[in-house]
Amino acid sequence: MGSSTSKPEQSGYQWKASGTPGVSMPVLDSLQSSPETDASRAKLLETQIHARVAEELKKLQKREADALAAAHDKIAAAAGKDTKDGKDGEDNANPTRFTVGKEVDALRKKLEERKQVRALPEDVEKSRSVVIECLRTNDRRPLDCWQEVEDFKAEVKKLEKSWVDKVVS
């Protein structure tokens, strides 16, 4: 018991098709005797894919570098036109710490002005609080608040429509 294997050893792959193969026997023999395995084919395919990806990456990097160089050239040309038009080119080409600080402060002020949040109209706020209260009372059954949610959506839709009308006109 246990001194011999239960399955006979096979030296290689044996064809186990129900019928005759659709290819000739020399082709089958060459496939069976080939040292190439699935793993080696997969590894070869993976290296080919890596090579193609690296090649495409180099192409993309070259294209981006060319685009960046073109953009720098355009900026340099625009700066050259500004100095020819009579503007002070030294401030644009070599900004001082003071001028950069002033620009940063101006940008900060603009950003602070945009951050202002306006208070919601009373109808929207009331509808919002009704939805919150309903969800708190029905914390195990939030679908019971569908009517309150629909009312809130309608109020928000009115607010959006009035804002769009105000912006468009």
Side-chain angles (χ1 to χ4, degrees), residues 45-63:
L45 180 63
E46 189 172 335
T47 56
Q48 289 173 346
I49 290 171
H50 280 291
R52 287 186 63 194
V53 167
E55 181 183 328
E56 288 296 320
L57 185 60
K58 285 180 184 176
K59 284 182 187 177
L60 287 174
Q61 286 174 341
K62 184 180 182 313
R63 190 180 311 154

Side-chain angles (χ1 to χ4, degrees), residues 54-106:
E55 181 183 328
E56 288 296 320
L57 185 60
K58 285 180 184 176
K59 284 182 187 177
L60 287 174
Q61 286 174 341
K62 184 180 182 313
R63 190 180 311 154
E64 289 298 318
D66 292 343
L68 183 62
H72 282 293
D73 291 343
K74 284 183 182 178
I75 291 171
K81 286 182 182 178
D82 287 347
T83 57
K84 289 179 184 176
D85 291 341
K87 293 183 180 176
D88 190 10
E90 291 180 24
D91 286 343
N92 292 335
N94 297 321
T96 63
R97 193 173 122 207
F98 180 70
T99 57
V100 171
K102 284 173 53 177
E103 289 177 12
V104 168
D105 287 339

